[in-house]
């Protein structure tokens, strides 16, 4: 039976283990990725257990713990044990990020359980070609804003490397000052997450792009391969001085990734109305749907 002692903190030293496990069981949701866990560890306190060839993830945010379904070969006894264990140690939503197939399996194991779609954590997946080419009427306004950016802001695009990471850190300080991170708990944690990503850029095998405007870093993106046909954009930041710069870094990133993958996952909107509107404006090809177990 699962116990608290089965779980250990996720640390940078666990990278090889997760790489090997996810090579066998590829992930589609960003929250389960190793990069996401170590970057957001300061707020989410990720832990994991390895039982019967399965990884079980847990996170504790603002004192409330939730678990993920086992990642590995289907094991009905382990799933039932996790449901029991999460009922004791989990919060209002003991198990989260349940993919639709697993949700159906859980209902078969126990029809009395209450599973609900978690729209705020659905992830937006786009065709890389669409984000690169911005074809047709659907993208007319976005193309116009990018053209205005190119016309008004003298800029260059380059990869993030060891040689320019210090400049990226300086940019992030400016970005945080503009956003007022010190007055917003979520933004303060996001600052820590993106700083961690840059500080451990090589260890995490991340890749990134920057846009310079008049020689100064004005926008960045950080991304990695998620699975065989999808890349994942973890962070995308820009300063407000040049209108359209977010759309420009989005397109530049897609132009790099379209040569490697068919899709780009740009994560969820967390229920933020403005963010949801912005993500829908790019017309996702499909969503990574997830369900939650409610008490």
């Amino acid at each position: 039976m699962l116990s608290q002692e089965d779980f250990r903190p996720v640390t940078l030293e666990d990278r090889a283990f997760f790489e090997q496990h996810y090579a066998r069981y590829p992930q589609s949701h960003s929250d389960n990725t190793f990069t996401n866990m170590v970057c957001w560890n300061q707020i989410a306190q990720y832990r994991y257990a390895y039982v019967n060839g399965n990884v079980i993830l847990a996170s504790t945010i603002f004192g409330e713990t939730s678990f993920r379904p086992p990642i590995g070969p289907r094991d009905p006894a382990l799933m039932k044990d996790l449901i029991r264990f999460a009922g004791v140690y989990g919060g209002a939503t003991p198990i989260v990020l349940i993919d639709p197939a697993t949700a159906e399996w859980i209902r078969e194991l126990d029809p009395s359980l209450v599973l609900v779609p978690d729209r705020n954590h659905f992830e937006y997946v786009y065709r890389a070609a669409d984000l690169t080419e911005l074809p047709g009427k659907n993208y007319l306004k976005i193309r116009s804003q990018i053209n205005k950016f190119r016309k008004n802001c003298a800029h260059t695009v380059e990869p993030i490397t060891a040689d320019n990471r210090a400049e990226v850190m300086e940019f992030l300080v400016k970005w945080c000052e503009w956003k007022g991170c010190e007055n917003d708990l979520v933004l303060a944690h996001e600052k820590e997450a993106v700083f961690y990503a840059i500080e451990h850029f090589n260890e995490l095998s991340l890749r990134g792009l920057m846009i310079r405007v008049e020689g100064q870093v004005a926008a960045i993106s950080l991304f990695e391969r998620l699975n065989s046909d999808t890349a994942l954009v973890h962070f995308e930041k820009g300063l407000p001085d040049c209108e359209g710069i977010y759309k420009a870094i989005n397109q530049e990133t897609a132009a790099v990734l379209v040569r490697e993958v068919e899709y780009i996952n740009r994560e969820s909107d967390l229920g933020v109305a403005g963010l949801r509107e912005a993500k829908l404006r790019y017309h996702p090809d499909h969503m990574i749907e997830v369900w939650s177990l409610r008490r």
Side-chain angles (χ1 to χ4, degrees), residues 193-222:
V194 69
F195 264 74
Y196 187 96
I198 294 296
E199 289 168 352
H200 299 279
F201 191 76
N202 291 336
E203 296 101 309
L204 294 171
S205 296
L206 286 171
R207 298 161 62 194
L209 286 182
M210 66 163 67
I211 292 180
R212 293 184 186 271
V213 174
E214 297 181 355
Q216 300 299 309
V217 182
I220 68 163
S221 67
L222 297 177

Side-chain angles (χ1 to χ4, degrees), residues 28-49:
S28 58
H29 197 284
S30 69
D31 195 85
N32 290 342
T33 63
F34 181 71
T35 295
N36 181 82
M37 289 190 287
V38 293
C39 287
W40 290 91
N41 238 343
Q42 79 283 353
I43 183 174
Q45 301 171 43
Y46 285 96
R47 294 171 293 134
Y48 75 99

Side-chain angles (χ1 to χ4, degrees), residues 8-278:
R8 52 176 286 182
V10 175
T11 70
L12 193 59
E13 287 68 36
D14 295 311
R15 177 189 162 196
F17 167 79
F18 277 96
E19 281 187 346
Q20 292 170 10
H21 194 74
Y22 286 169
R24 296 185 63 193
Y25 304 101
Q27 297 302 292
S28 58
H29 197 284
S30 69
D31 195 85
N32 290 342
T33 63
F34 181 71
T35 295
N36 181 82
M37 289 190 287
V38 293
C39 287
W40 290 91
N41 238 343
Q42 79 283 353
I43 183 174
Q45 301 171 43
Y46 285 96
R47 294 171 293 134
Y48 75 99
Y50 186 62
V51 183
N52 298 342
N54 277 269
V55 167
I56 300 173
L57 300 175
S59 60
T60 302
I61 302 176
F62 302 134
E64 183 160 314
T65 297
S66 59
F67 299 86
R68 318 292 191 269
I71 300 170
R74 280 203 171 178
D75 184 332
L78 180 60
M79 186 72 247
K80 291 178 180 178
D81 193 24
L82 174 61
I83 292 168
R84 172 201 63 80
F85 182 77
V88 176
Y89 296 103
T93 50
I95 304 179
V96 298
L97 302 180
I98 306 169
D99 65 84
T102 301
E104 185 60 31
W105 178 47
I106 291 174
R107 290 192 190 96
E108 292 172 2
L109 292 175
D110 188 343
S112 69
L113 297 175
V114 179
L115 296 173
V116 296
D118 183 0
R119 175 63 180 85
N120 291 348
H121 289 91
F122 283 16
E123 295 200 320
Y124 296 76
V125 181
Y126 306 85
R127 290 192 174 275
D130 287 346
L131 296 187
T132 303
E133 300 163 9
L134 302 171
K137 294 181 180 179
N138 284 338
Y139 298 96
L140 180 62
K141 188 173 181 180
I142 294 173
R143 292 198 306 271
S144 175
Q145 290 173 317
I146 291 176
N147 289 335
K148 184 180 294 186
F149 165 76
R150 289 174 175 165
K151 178 181 178 181
N152 296 334
C153 300
H155 69 283
T156 57
V157 181
E158 64 187 78
I160 294 174
T161 67
D163 293 333
N164 57 33
R165 278 192 298 173
E167 291 180 272
V168 174
M169 302 289 271
E170 293 174 6
F171 157 80
L172 290 171
V173 171
K174 294 178 184 177
W175 173 82
C176 233
E177 289 174 350
W178 166 55
K179 297 293 287 188
C181 291
E182 69 279 2
N183 299 318
D184 187 307
L185 184 59
V186 174
L187 283 177
H189 284 300
E190 185 173 11
K191 174 188 175 184
E192 292 184 31
V194 69
F195 264 74
Y196 187 96
I198 294 296
E199 289 168 352
H200 299 279
F201 191 76
N202 291 336
E203 296 101 309
L204 294 171
S205 296
L206 286 171
R207 298 161 62 194
L209 286 182
M210 66 163 67
I211 292 180
R212 293 184 186 271
V213 174
E214 297 181 355
Q216 300 299 309
V217 182
I220 68 163
S221 67
L222 297 177
F223 48 89
E224 68 175 334
R225 190 70 166 261
L226 177 59
N227 53 47
S228 62
D229 63 2
T230 306
L232 169 63
V233 178
H234 283 284
F235 299 101
E236 194 175 78
K237 305 297 174 198
L239 295 176
D241 305 316
C242 282
E243 182 182 351
I245 197 166
Y246 269 98
K247 294 174 176 60
I249 191 66
N250 185 321
Q251 187 185 42
E252 294 289 352
T253 300
V256 169
L257 294 174
V258 73
R259 299 191 291 266
E260 307 168 16
V261 295
E262 185 174 0
Y263 301 105
I264 298 176
N265 180 321
R266 293 181 52 79
E267 299 190 335
S268 67
D269 58 40
L270 299 176
V272 178
L275 189 55
R276 179 167 297 184
E277 181 182 352

